[in-house]
Amino acid sequence: MNTPLLRGSGPALLLAHGAGSDVQDSYGPLIDDLTEYRTVIGPDYPGSGTTSLPGRPLTLDELSDQIVESAVRHGADTFAISGFSMGCSVAVRAAARHPERVTALILSAGFAHPNPRLRLAVDTWRALGRHLPESRELAAYLSLMVGGPEWLDERSADEIEEQLTLFAGGLPPGTDAQLALFDHIDVRPDLARIAVPTLVVSPLRDLLITPLHSRELADGIPGARLATLDCGHAIAAEKPAAWAALIEDFLTSAEETPGRVRG
């Protein structure tokens, strides 16, 4: 991985972004809030940002190892991980493979294993991306999937057009390779092994990765806490301040009781 986002000071917080995204897209609006108290390390996956694809299929183990290596390389021996969307699966696998380094998890809008509905949504995304890249049709589909219904209802026509233009401007070149991971991701066996404080954040209006997935994560991880936000999948666009506050409050609480899994 190339040089990640590296900002702030204090305890380290490693970011694991979503598929078809990058750190700025997944977390941008709340990074200033997070760096007020923490050193934030945000690497991009292969195929996102300036990180090149390896020329072979991506694996979850590879992504989890790479983000951990990025944090260590930039001076963080131990760190919390905040995962968003597919980044939650990356974060869980990282905690399972590197338990000596991971101190806490925040899993937002994520999943342990894609159910048939999520697979259908991702297959449609991939098909549109292959046949209609940078098209209004793909942009409209993504807008409908990641935007909360109420949030979209409140947008003006100009705001909708701005969002469509943004999506139609092109997704990361590694989007299809990252989405291909959905065919293989299953971190359900890892959940019971997680022994660090864990917060699961469930967006109640998420149409892409529905709250059912968040409940599965929270139920499977010993002592995990479940919190909700009234928004769609794109938490950073709809509720950045509330999301940042949940993350910081949880990490502060976890740091006050080291070595315990908090419910």
Side-chain angles (χ1 to χ4, degrees):
M1 287 188 174
N2 291 352
T3 302
L5 177 146
L6 182 64
R7 286 176 51 190
S9 61
L13 174 62
L14 177 62
L15 306 182
H17 67 76
S21 180
D22 56 33
V23 166
Q24 285 294 337
D25 180 52
S26 289
Y27 284 96
L30 65 157
I31 287 174
D32 284 346
D33 288 337
L34 296 177
T35 56
E36 187 173 351
Y37 304 103
R38 307 194 174 273
T39 299
V40 174
I41 304 168
D44 287 323
Y45 302 146
S48 291
T50 60
T51 307
S52 59
L53 285 168
R56 61 180 184 278
L58 300 176
T59 70
L60 195 65
D61 285 353
E62 178 181 32
L63 293 189
S64 66
D65 290 348
Q66 285 179 347
I67 67 167
V68 168
E69 289 165 6
S70 180
V72 173
R73 188 169 63 250
H74 290 86
D77 290 330
T78 60
F79 39 82
I81 306 180
S82 173
F84 170 70
S85 195
M86 189 191 76
C88 293
S89 301
V90 176
V92 167
R93 182 58 54 84
R97 287 172 65 84
H98 304 277
E100 76 285 359
R101 297 205 180 274
V102 179
T103 60
L105 292 176
I106 304 98
L107 309 175
S108 304
F111 62 94
H113 180 259
N115 65 12
R117 185 187 182 282
L118 178 53
R119 286 181 179 275
L120 178 62
V122 170
D123 288 347
T124 303
W125 181 354
R126 295 183 70 188
L128 288 170
R130 293 191 197 102
H131 300 296
L132 297 169
E134 301 185 16
S135 69
R136 185 180 178 85
E137 289 83 358
L138 175 58
Y141 173 75
L142 292 176
S143 294
L144 288 168
M145 294 304 293
V146 305
E150 290 82 1
W151 186 81
L152 283 173
D153 286 344
E154 294 169 357
R155 299 307 98 193
S156 68
D158 287 343
E159 288 172 329
I160 293 293
E161 285 300 320
E162 182 180 349
Q163 179 162 303
L164 293 178
T165 300
L166 178 65
F167 279 132
L171 295 168
T175 293
D176 192 69
Q178 293 167 13
L179 292 175
L181 283 165
F182 282 68
D183 291 338
H184 309 288
I185 289 176
D186 189 352
V187 297
R188 289 175 294 185
D190 296 328
L191 300 182
R193 300 168 53 195
I194 303 302
V196 295
T198 300
L199 173 67
V200 178
V201 180
S202 175
L204 295 176
R205 312 299 179 184
D206 195 339
L207 299 179
L208 180 61
I209 301 177
T210 59
L212 174 69
H213 291 284
S214 292
R215 290 196 296 273
E216 182 176 35
L217 286 170
D219 289 345
I221 297 173
R225 172 188 160 196
L226 179 65
T228 61
L229 286 172
D230 191 13
C231 63
H233 188 70
I235 312 175
E238 297 185 41
K239 298 285 185 180
W243 190 19
L246 276 177
I247 293 171
E248 180 54 36
D249 290 349
F250 177 75
L251 290 178
T252 299
S253 176
E255 289 159 358
E256 289 172 352
T257 54
R260 289 182 57 197
V261 174
R262 296 179 61 85

